[in-house]
Amino acid sequence: MMQELLNRRLCANPPSGIRRIGQTARTIPGCLALTIGEPDFDAPLPVRSRIAEAILAGETHYPPNAGYPELLEQVAAHINGRFHADYAPEETVVTVGSTEALACALMAILNPGDEVIVPVPAFGLYRPQIELCGGVYVPMETTPDGFAITRENLSAHITPRTRAILFASPNNPTGAVLGEDSLSALREAALEHDLFLIADSVYDRIVYGELPTLMGDSALRDRLIYVSALSKTYAMTGVRVGFAAADAPVMAQMRKAHSFLVVSVPGCVQRGCEGVFDLPAEEMRAQYERRRDYVYHRLRGMGLDVTLPGGAFYIYPSVERFSMSAETFCDRLMHEGKLALIPAECFGSTGHVRISTCYAMAQLEEGMDRLEAFVRALEA
């Protein structure tokens, strides 16, 4: 009886599949996990020092809901400088990671029954967030198109109830960077059908080539919501600081949602993040690129079909040729090969597995050795 009284939308969404697999791996003796997007670096020392100094100085009181003015100014300057945009500090917000920023964006724009198109494979938190906001999750499979967004595919998924398209570039789990054709398709759809575009850009400073973008496009200013975080760029996943930018009327509602959800990001954490955009991040990015290249060449050597990722720190080989689901492949790999990876089913897709390449090289080498041994055993 009590189950019937609970939130049906929440009950219908299971816990994170990524976390579930990680928990299972910990119960298997000797199992190595390459499952989490958790950089093996520590947060920059200046950030840690400033957080410690701020809290010791008594920074334990309520800060402004949307963020300290100094940090908001830096967020706006960072976005404007990168993308030739013109966001005012009042059109930004500091959030508890990009996850909360996405929740605020969805709460700001969705009414019950509104549809949100999500190109899949996609991060597993999109669906529950959309549904908890009263929206309808509409997956759009992009695997046959090499993870690109085509006009034909997009048009086939747009209905009179479509309110927004939520996309990530670089993508998690594929590492794919959307090209100009994909962005043009998004732009045309937004303008023709009066849609919002939510750009999950948490990995957009971990890119190994060009990064095409819609930011700075004046025609999209009133309908483009930019979401990012410090988590991946600066190895600050546990510090939990994200940020967003949007046109003033949209941001006013996002700030309101933010205040209702969490009140604010802790003041001492905000003070620690002031100046973070001036810190170098190139060495971490270069190491991610070396690790990506190593894993890519190992996978190719195993005969696996895999695309070289353009960004992030994931790689997404196909396992379709083994005549089993990706879920079954990963379950057997954990128990027989002592290696944990994430199946495509966790990202709303099929036929592939995600390997996180943000681990130290020694772990990646051991992981690839175990994967190769398992693959050879299946072939035999």
Side-chain angles (χ1 to χ4, degrees):
M1 176 62 181
M2 184 58 66
Q3 185 76 12
E4 298 174 0
L5 302 178
L6 299 177
N7 186 314
R8 289 189 295 275
R9 292 171 182 158
L10 188 59
C11 291
N13 279 283
S16 165
I18 297 173
R19 299 291 179 174
R20 170 180 55 82
I21 291 168
Q23 291 168 358
T24 301
R26 286 192 288 273
T27 68
I28 300 172
C31 188
L32 174 66
L34 301 178
T35 53
I36 302 296
E38 173 73 63
D40 66 326
F41 305 102
D42 291 325
L45 182 58
V47 173
R48 289 180 277 148
S49 297
R50 285 195 292 263
I51 293 174
E53 291 165 2
I55 198 166
L56 289 173
E59 187 66 79
T60 57
H61 303 280
Y62 283 126
N65 289 121
Y68 276 119
E70 296 87 346
L71 186 53
L72 293 174
E73 289 175 4
Q74 292 175 20
V75 168
H78 170 72
I79 293 171
N80 293 339
R82 287 191 67 204
F83 302 117
H84 306 290
D86 61 349
Y87 291 100
E90 295 75 22
E91 294 177 303
T92 66
V93 63
V94 178
T95 59
V96 182
S98 61
T99 301
E100 194 234 326
L102 286 170
C104 292
L106 293 166
M107 291 180 71
I109 66 173
L110 291 184
N111 289 298
D114 285 346
E115 296 175 355
V116 181
I117 296 173
V118 177
V120 296
F123 187 41
L125 288 182
Y126 295 162
R127 179 170 190 160
Q129 285 201 344
I130 290 166
E131 293 182 350
L132 287 172
C133 290
V136 178
Y137 172 81
V138 180
M140 181 181 75
E141 182 62 68
T142 65
T143 303
D145 300 310
F147 312 123
I149 297 173
T150 67
R151 289 169 175 80
E152 295 76 16
N153 199 7
L154 198 52
S155 296
H157 288 80
I158 293 175
T159 76
R161 297 306 304 268
T162 305
R163 173 60 58 194
I165 305 168
L166 168 53
F167 65 97
S169 181
N171 175 274
N172 174 11
T174 68
V177 173
L178 293 178
E180 295 288 0
D181 287 346
S182 292
L183 295 183
S184 293
L186 289 169
R187 184 183 192 276
E188 292 170 10
L191 295 175
E192 180 179 351
H193 299 280
D194 200 21
L195 308 178
F196 284 100
L197 297 176
I198 305 175
D200 182 355
S201 307
V202 70
Y203 296 100
D204 74 354
R205 291 184 66 195
I206 305 175
V207 177
Y208 311 116
E210 295 298 318
L211 178 70
T213 180
L214 294 172
M215 291 293 288
D217 187 328
S218 59
L220 297 175
R221 198 186 195 288
D222 64 345
R223 67 194 67 218
L224 178 61
I225 302 173
Y226 177 85
V227 169
S228 193
L230 305 177
S231 303
K232 311 297 184 177
T233 303
Y234 293 104
M236 291 169 55
T237 53
V239 180
R240 310 305 306 136
V241 175
F243 54 93
D247 199 41
V250 178
M251 181 50 64
Q253 300 309 311
M254 289 181 63
R255 285 183 165 201
K256 191 191 304 181
H258 167 70
S259 69
F260 292 160
L261 288 170
V262 301
V263 180
S264 63
V265 173
C268 60
V269 172
Q270 291 191 53
R271 292 303 191 197
C273 292
E274 291 175 8
V276 69
F277 296 116
D278 296 326
L279 298 177
E282 173 57 28
E283 177 53 34
M284 282 191 283
R285 192 211 64 81
Q287 290 207 43
Y288 296 143
E289 185 171 11
R290 287 192 288 271
R291 296 169 184 181
R292 175 204 66 163
D293 291 346
Y294 170 77
V295 174
Y296 172 76
H297 289 297
R298 286 294 306 271
L299 295 173
R300 291 294 301 271
M302 298 175 206
L304 296 180
D305 182 15
V306 61
T307 300
L308 184 68
F313 37 58
Y314 308 106
I315 195 164
Y316 195 65
S318 171
V319 294
E320 288 183 313
R321 68 184 178 89
F322 297 109
S323 301
M324 65 182 80
S325 69
E327 184 86 40
T328 299
F329 181 93
C330 286
D331 187 67
R332 287 188 57 182
L333 177 61
M334 267 197 297
H335 289 88
E336 300 171 29
K338 306 297 184 182
L339 176 66
L341 306 178
I342 305 298
E345 285 84 352
C346 290
F347 308 105
S349 192
T350 59
H352 293 71
V353 298
R354 188 192 78 173
I355 303 170
S356 291
T357 58
C358 56
Y359 291 83
M361 187 61 78
Q363 290 176 271
L364 295 176
E365 291 171 354
E366 177 62 25
M368 292 305 98
D369 288 346
R370 295 185 186 193
L371 178 60
E372 184 167 9
F374 180 71
V375 166
R376 298 301 177 226
L378 291 178
E379 292 172 339

